[in-house]
């Protein structure tokens, strides 16, 4: 499809074919995909650069959360003969994303050995595979392939993959679908609990801000210098851990019971962290924009990390009510 931003460029197709040694990447079909034409000035190609995750709605293994840049990047491609390319799109349940990434990695590794690749390069590749063993298939492949913009694409994939399950858990907490023993507080215990929750929330704000403004950019490296896969993985894991703190905070509020006279204060605190979580979820979308449009220059990510508006007034109101109840 002409000018489809989700399709591979010719340069990407050629590179996929070369990396595969012009052979089908299906381990059960090591068929050569290029050979001589009857015309001495031409060659025959029976190979195809297939999308691992589909290029458009309705195609095999299509992922609506991906951007055009992620769909057309070499990481999302696998070189196959035309029969196998048709096969994987016809029987999708059998040929999963995970399986196709494995085919690609194993086949390219075999080709690297066949041409006498430096053992240290292969060892470094194996180290990355071990390091990313529990991450998404796309994250693994991005870390191995390191295509153009890989530092940012890898960060986008890792954040999106790590925050997805947390968003579902946060929704379950809000819907009352999670169990944890109720903590029942008497009137005397409530102020200390409230103070602790305020301090924990401010700590979350500070930690999230530091990870996004310092830890992640440092992992990308200075302009023109390759990033560090291990540092990117560590930074995004720290971000996930901090976001798990959001879930813990919300569950603490949901599973604590104040005396009836002041329980409205606790109820009003529910959802205070939702803004923080929403800011985290903006990161992949904001980062994707300049990459998809291939905009040159420096681009800023504007996020807002702050405690809920009116928190100080809320605390003062609580103190007044508490004193009235004591009198």
């Amino acid at each position: 499809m002409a000018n489809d931003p989700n399709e591979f460029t010719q340069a990407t197709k050629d590179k996929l074919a070369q990396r595969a040694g012009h052979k089908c990447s299906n381990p059960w079909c090591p068929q050569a995909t290029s050979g001589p034409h009857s015309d001495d000035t031409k060659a025959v190609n029976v190979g195809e650069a297939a999308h691992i995750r589909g290029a458009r709605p309705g195609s095999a293994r299509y992922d609506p959360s991906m951007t055009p840049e992620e769909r057309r990047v070499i990481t999302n491609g696998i070189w196959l003969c035309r029969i196998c390319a048709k096969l994987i799109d016809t029987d999708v349940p059998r040929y999963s994303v995970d399986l196709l990434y494995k085919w690609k990695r194993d086949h390219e590794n075999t080709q690297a050995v066949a041409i006498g690749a430096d053992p240290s390069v292969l060892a470094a590749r194996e180290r990355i595979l071990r390091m990313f063993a529990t991450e998404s298939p796309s994250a693994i492949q991005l870390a191995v392939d390191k295509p153009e913009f890989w530092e940012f694409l890898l960060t986008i994939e890792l954040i999106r993959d790590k925050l997805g399950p947390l968003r579902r858990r946060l929704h379950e907490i809000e819907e009352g679908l999670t169990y944890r023993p109720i903590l029942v507080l008497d009137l005397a215990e409530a102020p200390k609990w409230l103070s602790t929750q305020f301090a924990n929330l401010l700590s979350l704000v500070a930690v999230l801000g530091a990870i996004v403004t310092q830890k992640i950019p440092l992992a990308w490296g200075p302009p023109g210098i390759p990033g560090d896969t291990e540092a990117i993985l560590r930074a995004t894991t720290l971000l996930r851990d901090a976001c798990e703190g959001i879930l813990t905070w919300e569950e603490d509020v949901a599973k604590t019971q104040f005396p009836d006279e002041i329980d409205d204060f606790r109820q009003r605190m529910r959802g205070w962290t939702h803004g923080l979580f929403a800011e985290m979820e903006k990161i992949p979308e904001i980062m994707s924009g300049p990459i998809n449009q291939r905009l040159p220059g420096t681009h800023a990510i504007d996020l807002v990390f702050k405690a809920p508006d009116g928190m100080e007034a809320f605390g003062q109101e609580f103190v007044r009510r508490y004193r009235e109840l004591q009198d």
Side-chain angles (χ1 to χ4, degrees):
M1 188 177 295
N3 299 320
D4 186 338
N6 300 288
E7 285 293 343
F8 302 124
T9 64
Q10 187 59 50
T12 296
K13 294 176 183 179
D14 293 342
K15 190 65 67 177
L16 280 168
Q18 292 164 3
R19 291 178 63 87
H22 290 277
K23 295 179 181 178
C24 181
S25 298
N26 181 345
W28 311 112
C29 175
Q31 177 178 325
T33 58
S34 63
H37 190 279
S38 57
D39 182 336
D40 290 344
T41 64
K42 298 179 181 179
V44 173
N45 174 51
V46 292
E48 186 173 322
H51 283 78
I52 293 177
R53 291 189 285 182
R56 59 190 63 85
S59 57
R61 298 168 300 279
Y62 177 76
D63 182 348
S65 70
M66 295 177 71
T67 65
E69 180 64 35
E70 290 173 290
R71 294 192 184 101
R72 67 171 174 256
V73 74
I74 193 170
T75 298
N76 192 42
I78 181 171
W79 187 256
L80 298 167
C81 71
R82 289 175 183 167
I83 293 176
C84 289
K86 176 66 174 177
L87 177 66
I88 66 167
D89 288 350
T90 302
D91 193 353
V92 175
R94 176 173 293 178
Y95 302 104
S96 66
V97 170
D98 293 44
L99 178 63
L100 297 181
Y101 275 125
K102 187 176 187 308
W103 278 9
K104 177 178 179 175
R105 287 194 300 273
D106 290 351
H107 183 72
E108 290 188 354
N109 192 65
T110 297
Q111 298 309 305
V113 171
I115 62 172
D118 185 340
S120 65
V121 174
L122 299 178
R125 179 188 176 101
E126 286 302 314
R127 180 174 176 275
I128 289 176
L129 291 176
R130 290 193 299 271
M131 186 191 312
F132 281 76
T134 60
E135 305 305 325
S136 72
S138 184
I140 294 172
Q141 203 63 42
L142 283 165
V144 169
D145 289 347
K146 292 185 173 59
E148 187 179 15
F149 308 124
W150 73 266
E151 295 97 332
F152 311 111
L153 293 172
L154 179 60
T155 302
I156 290 168
E157 173 62 24
L158 287 170
I159 291 177
R160 190 164 53 201
D161 186 64
K162 291 176 185 296
L163 293 194
L166 298 187
R167 166 55 72 182
R168 290 191 291 273
R169 283 174 54 194
L170 186 59
H171 178 72
E172 290 163 357
I173 291 170
E174 290 303 303
E175 294 295 310
L177 301 175
T178 63
Y179 172 76
R180 200 176 80 180
I182 297 293
L183 174 64
V184 180
L185 301 179
D186 60 29
L187 187 62
E189 295 170 316
K192 182 178 180 181
W193 181 91
L194 189 69
S195 177
T196 300
Q197 291 304 108
F198 275 24
N200 287 339
L201 183 55
L202 293 174
S203 178
L204 271 173
V205 171
V207 169
L208 288 169
I211 294 171
V212 172
T213 60
Q214 301 174 36
K215 195 72 175 178
I216 291 177
L218 284 174
W220 293 335
I225 305 298
D228 185 318
T229 52
E230 185 172 1
I232 292 172
L233 177 58
R234 180 60 182 158
T236 53
T237 300
L238 286 173
L239 185 66
R240 180 205 62 198
D241 293 346
C243 287
E244 285 183 339
I246 289 175
L247 271 64
T248 298
W249 195 94
E250 287 291 343
E251 197 161 35
D252 284 345
V253 174
K255 303 300 182 180
T256 299
Q257 182 178 310
F258 276 13
D260 292 343
E261 299 91 334
I262 57 171
D263 197 52
D264 60 302
F265 284 95
R266 180 193 63 83
Q267 292 287 352
R268 284 158 57 188
M269 293 170 66
R270 298 190 66 174
W272 272 10
T273 63
H274 288 190
L276 293 175
F277 201 93
E279 290 298 298
M280 296 299 101
E281 292 179 309
K282 288 180 184 178
I283 297 174
E285 180 180 355
I286 294 173
M287 287 180 60
S288 296
I291 297 174
N292 287 327
Q293 299 174 48
R294 294 184 170 265
L295 298 176
T298 301
H299 304 275
I301 298 177
D302 294 323
L303 300 172
V304 179
F305 301 104
K306 65 175 185 177
D309 292 333
M311 198 168 93
E312 182 177 352
F314 176 95
Q316 294 170 350
E317 182 185 351
F318 175 84
V319 170
R320 286 195 297 271
R321 176 90 65 86
Y322 181 77
R323 287 174 176 171
E324 290 171 359
L325 292 171
Q326 285 186 311
D327 292 340

